[in-house]
Amino acid sequence: MSGPVTLDVAAAYDVWAKSYDGYDNPMVYAAGYALSQAPLSLAQKTLLEFGCGTGRNLAALSARGASKLIGFDFSSAMLAEARKRDASWTLFQADMSEAIPLPNQSVDIILFSLTLEHVADLVPPLREARRLLRTEGVIKVIEIHPFVSLQGISAHFKTATGEEITMPAFAHPFQDWLAAFEQAGLRVAGVKEWQARDLGTEAPAKILRRGPDWPWVVDWTLSPV
């Protein structure tokens, strides 16, 4: 049997795009559940997601009252899926490690969800998020828990033909996160480590099999210094 096929990040997500929302992915469930529990004040707010994928998070936050939704992604196929959800969203293709074509202090809430594992240097995207954030704004970072990523677990999937696809990923220990926040001009206003026991009664079997103490995602709330 042949081993996994490794693609670059954009190419991998281009392949995954059409099946992504229906894929049995416990990490996506955990991140989505954490986001659903976030006490965000969204009414009349402008929200930007770095790495918006198929737009599933934008849709969830739109339902909670966000007035303007903006998202970008490295994968054109993921963006095509997002565009099917709502034509009123502002969507564009971009690399989060580079400058984002939006004005300074133009958004109220910024979301990173399961995207920064694909970035070797956390500082550039976080610094760019800081630039775009309004003075009283909030950044949510919901990412694979370091205890998991440091075991070599990262984003991967199987195609309809059973071929396993992997992509570049970088394990970031807690000290790297904290150093990056400081360098980007952000302070930690809150943090939660979401274990299996925290993820609700409808958590999929893949989550339950890991046991109640298994840490799935870490959920940071950040504000400008």
Side-chain angles (χ1 to χ4, degrees):
M1 181 181 293
S2 60
V5 174
T6 300
L7 301 176
D8 67 48
V9 174
Y13 280 103
D14 281 349
V15 173
W16 202 359
K18 286 193 177 298
S19 62
Y20 186 86
D21 286 335
Y23 197 78
D24 182 14
N25 188 324
M27 198 65 70
V28 170
Y29 174 89
Y33 187 88
L35 181 61
S36 76
Q37 303 303 301
L40 295 171
S41 176
L42 296 170
Q44 304 304 308
K45 297 293 178 64
T46 296
L47 183 139
L48 166 65
E49 183 173 11
F50 278 57
C52 66
T54 64
R56 59 191 293 154
N57 292 327
L58 292 178
L61 294 169
S62 176
R64 291 174 59 182
S67 60
K68 182 176 181 180
L69 293 116
I70 308 169
F72 69 85
D73 204 275
F74 204 21
S75 162
S76 59
M78 293 293 252
L79 283 171
E81 294 301 309
R83 290 190 177 102
K84 296 175 184 178
R85 290 183 183 269
D86 195 319
S88 71
W89 297 345
T90 300
L91 300 171
F92 57 94
Q93 190 169 8
D95 181 344
M96 72 173 63
S97 293
E98 299 177 359
I100 305 304
L102 292 171
N104 292 352
Q105 298 188 356
S106 56
V107 295
D108 301 294
I109 300 170
I110 292 175
L111 173 65
F112 294 87
S113 180
L114 303 182
T115 56
L116 289 170
E117 68 171 304
H118 300 303
V119 176
D121 185 353
L122 295 169
V123 176
L126 289 169
R127 186 173 285 153
E128 193 67 354
R130 172 65 181 86
R131 177 185 70 80
L132 298 172
L133 193 68
R134 290 179 176 140
T135 305
E136 301 300 321
V138 172
I139 297 174
K140 289 293 291 182
V141 175
I142 304 173
E143 295 288 341
I144 183 170
H145 196 286
F147 293 173
V148 177
S149 62
L150 288 166
Q151 295 182 51
I153 298 172
S154 62
H156 65 280
F157 66 99
K158 288 187 177 180
T159 66
T161 59
E163 184 177 48
E164 185 174 1
I165 306 294
T166 65
M167 63 203 84
F170 304 89
H172 300 293
F174 277 108
Q175 63 188 15
D176 287 0
W177 287 106
L178 295 172
F181 297 153
E182 182 177 7
Q183 290 179 59
L186 298 166
R187 70 175 185 86
V188 177
V191 61
K192 179 173 175 60
E193 300 173 82
W194 289 86
Q195 298 172 286
R197 67 172 76 252
D198 303 317
L199 296 173
T201 58
E202 297 182 2
K206 285 183 178 179
I207 283 180
L208 301 177
R209 281 201 296 269
R210 288 285 188 176
D213 299 324
W214 182 266
W216 286 91
V217 294
V218 61
D219 174 1
W220 305 94
T221 302
L222 310 171
S223 59
V225 172

